[in-house]
């Protein structure tokens, strides 16, 4: 990796309290405080702060308590072993890629022989860390001085400083030509919260796409709700779920990827479903004995029709992603249920049926219904040893209740 232009972090000035506080955390006293606060209970924070301020500066105690809170939040994404060695900002925790997803993306790059990546808009370094652990040298770039310092500290804390170079710079002015691939993670949050317009990303999706097309290979991280029409024909679009929750979408460019293809990847299994182009609308028909709920990544990737064909089934409604069939079907891409009852929507009728069957535990799922699950459960006044699942949905356009239980 070319390190000639590496940016050396400037010392924080008095008019930059956030950087000064971060610098204090990296002193021996700050590190000792963070170690002491690893398992602290946020409910006892006031008492903890009062005790620590007897022997440490108040500003350092406040910074350490804030960082301890962030580390506890970050453990969900990064795992406790890494999170309690790393440093975070509030935005960094919110926007960082979880480790499982970043590792999947790094593995795709590594599998194609990529040895160096320019990580633009690197944030606190979550993706850079995954890339480095896959044996890839990384140039990590972010224009915010504090964020760049945090990313550099994280690379060092995890023993990856030799593979990760961090620069505080404008990504639009960064030369990516020396690198095998480019990864861009535009900021999708602003002062008013989440940004939905891809051209309002920072940098805009159009700039990120142009940068990607200049590179031998590239990946752009985007919001999973991006309209399909905003995706250019040059990209392979992948939606990724982890533990059943859709986490993000990625646009892949260059050699080794399939332009125009749509892909759904399920973690932690790594199961992947793909189609070379959008599929025709699947058939619609009556509810059969079995109902299948596709994984969210499959739905976002518009691959439900593929599953309908595989199971020999049909949709219950042309606008609802519930698949039904008359024969059982097993697949990692769906959760299956056996349906025992199909009723027109009626709170009164549902309550009577649940009481008759002594249902005390009710799982409520909905698509195409305005009813809130918690409100429905409250009104049912459940009691009994039995359990059931109710689907609030539409069947051929009519509000419908489907009652059943999971297969297997």
């Amino acid at each position: 990796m070319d390190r000639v232009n590496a940016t050396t972090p400037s010392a924080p000035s008095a008019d930059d309290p956030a950087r000064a506080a971060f610098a204090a955390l990296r002193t021996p006293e700050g590190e000792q405080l963070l170690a002491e606060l690893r398992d602290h209970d946020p409910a006892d924070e006031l008492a903890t702060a009062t005790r620590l301020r007897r022997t440490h500066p108040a500003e350092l105690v406040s910074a350490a308590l804030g960082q301890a809170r962030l580390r506890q939040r970050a453990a969900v994404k990064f795992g406790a072993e890494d999170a309690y060695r790393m440093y975070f900002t509030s935005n960094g925790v919110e926007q960082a890629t979880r480790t499982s997803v970043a590792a999947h993306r790094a593995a795709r790059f590594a599998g194609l022989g990529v040895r160096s990546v320019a990580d633009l808009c690197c944030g606190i370094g979550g993706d850079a860390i995954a890339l480095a652990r896959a044996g890839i040298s990384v140039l990590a770039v972010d224009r915010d001085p504090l964020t760049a310092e945090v990313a550099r500290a994280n690379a060092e804390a995890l023993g990856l400083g030799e593979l990760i170079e961090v620069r505080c710079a404008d990504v639009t002015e960064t030369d990516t030509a020396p690198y095998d691939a480019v990864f861009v993670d535009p900021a999708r949050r602003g002062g008013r919260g989440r940004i939905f317009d891809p051209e309002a990303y920072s940098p805009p999706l159009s700039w990120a796409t142009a940068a990607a097309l200049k590179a031998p290979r590239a990946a752009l991280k985007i919001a999973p709700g991006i309209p399909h029409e905003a995706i250019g024909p040059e990209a392979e679009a992948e939606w990724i779920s982890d533990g059943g929750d859709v986490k993000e979408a990625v646009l892949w460019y260059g050699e080794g990827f399939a332009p125009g293809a749509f892909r759904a990847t399920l973690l932690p299994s790594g199961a992947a479903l793909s189609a070379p182009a959008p599929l025709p609308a699947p058939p619609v028909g009556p509810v059969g004995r079995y109902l299948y709920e596709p994984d969210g990544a499959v739905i976002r990737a518009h691959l439900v029709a593929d599953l309908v064909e595989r199971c020999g089934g049909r949709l219950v409604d042309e606008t609802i992603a519930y698949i039904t069939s008359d024969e059982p079907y097993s697949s990692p891409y769906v959760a299956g249920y056996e349906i025992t009852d199909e009723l027109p929507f009626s709170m009164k009728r549902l309550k009577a049926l649940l009481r008759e069957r002594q249902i005390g535990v009710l799982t409520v799922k909905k698509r195409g219904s305005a009813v809130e699950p918690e409100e429905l459960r409250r009104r049912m006044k459940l009691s009994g040893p039995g359990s059931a699942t109710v689907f609030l949905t539409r069947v051929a356009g009519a509000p419908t209740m489907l009652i059943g239980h999971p297969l297997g």
Side-chain angles (χ1 to χ4, degrees):
M1 175 185 293
D2 176 13
R3 294 184 179 273
V4 175
N5 295 321
T7 300
T8 302
S10 59
S13 62
D15 60 354
D16 193 344
R19 291 178 66 197
F22 178 65
L25 288 177
R26 302 199 68 202
T27 64
E29 184 179 10
E31 291 177 352
Q32 177 188 343
L33 261 180
L34 286 173
E36 184 177 340
L37 290 168
R38 171 173 175 140
D39 299 317
H40 95 287
D41 184 350
D44 298 331
E45 190 163 297
L46 181 59
T48 301
T50 301
R51 173 176 58 81
L52 292 176
R53 283 170 180 158
R54 296 182 187 128
T55 52
H56 300 282
E59 295 82 0
L60 179 59
V61 171
S62 295
L65 284 168
Q67 190 62 220
R69 288 193 300 271
L70 293 175
R71 285 180 167 183
Q72 289 180 345
R73 287 172 53 195
V76 175
K77 285 188 174 182
F78 289 88
E81 183 177 350
D82 281 352
Y84 286 104
R85 296 160 64 193
M86 294 171 66
Y87 299 89
F88 301 95
T89 64
S90 182
N91 285 339
V93 171
E94 183 71 27
Q95 299 181 24
T97 305
R98 68 172 49 215
T99 294
S100 56
V101 178
H104 162 74
R105 187 164 42 237
R108 289 201 77 183
F109 269 139
L112 291 171
V114 170
R115 305 307 302 162
S116 62
V117 171
D119 178 2
L120 308 182
C121 309
C122 69
I124 58 153
D127 283 283
I129 289 165
L131 290 164
R133 283 177 168 168
I136 297 171
S137 297
V138 185
L139 169 67
V141 183
D142 201 283
R143 70 180 181 182
D144 178 66
L146 174 60
T147 301
E149 287 180 20
V150 171
R152 186 178 293 106
N154 287 336
E156 294 171 0
L158 298 179
L160 299 169
E162 289 301 310
L163 282 171
I164 301 174
E165 172 194 347
V166 179
R167 291 184 193 171
C168 181
D170 186 334
V171 298
T172 65
E173 299 175 358
T174 300
D175 180 14
T176 62
Y179 299 87
D180 296 342
V182 168
F183 171 63
V184 189
D185 181 6
R188 296 179 301 282
R189 284 184 177 273
R192 296 184 179 180
R194 194 178 301 276
I195 296 171
F196 296 98
D197 177 6
E199 283 307 295
Y201 292 173
S202 180
L205 181 60
S206 57
W207 179 90
T209 300
L213 292 172
K214 294 176 184 176
R217 295 184 178 92
L220 309 184
K221 177 180 172 181
I222 55 175
I226 186 171
H228 279 221
E229 55 269 23
I231 300 172
E234 309 91 348
E236 173 190 309
E238 178 183 28
W239 283 261
I240 303 169
S241 68
D242 189 3
D245 295 328
V246 181
K247 295 303 177 184
E248 66 178 60
V250 188
L251 303 183
W252 297 94
Y253 299 84
E255 185 180 353
F257 305 111
F262 295 86
R263 175 186 178 104
T265 299
L266 281 55
L267 301 178
S269 71
L273 184 69
S274 63
L279 300 169
V284 178
V287 177
R289 181 175 178 182
Y290 301 98
L291 189 77
Y292 305 101
E293 181 181 29
D295 184 272
V298 173
I299 297 172
R300 295 282 193 178
H302 293 188
L303 294 173
V304 173
D306 186 283
L307 293 179
V308 171
E309 182 176 339
R310 288 172 183 242
C311 74
R314 54 205 176 265
L315 296 181
V316 301
D317 185 277
E318 64 180 359
T319 64
I320 303 293
Y322 282 140
I323 303 169
T324 187
S325 72
D326 303 310
E327 300 294 333
Y329 172 71
S330 178
S331 165
Y333 307 108
V334 298
Y337 299 83
E338 184 172 8
I339 298 303
T340 56
D341 300 271
E342 177 184 353
L343 302 169
F345 179 80
S346 166
M347 288 280 198
K348 184 177 181 180
R349 291 185 66 177
L350 179 61
K351 185 175 181 179
L353 184 146
L354 298 177
R355 181 179 299 170
E356 176 187 336
R357 297 186 183 170
Q358 297 184 310
I359 300 299
V361 178
L362 183 67
T363 300
V364 182
K365 293 178 173 287
K366 68 167 192 168
R367 282 192 182 140
S369 172
V371 178
E372 291 300 325
E374 287 304 320
E375 172 65 12
L376 183 140
R377 272 191 287 264
R378 184 186 67 80
R379 293 178 62 178
M380 291 301 102
K381 302 186 184 303
L382 301 169
S383 177
S387 62
T389 300
V390 60
F391 295 86
L392 307 178
T393 187
R394 293 193 303 272
V395 173
T400 303
M401 303 181 300
L402 304 175
I403 296 95
H405 55 80
L407 290 175

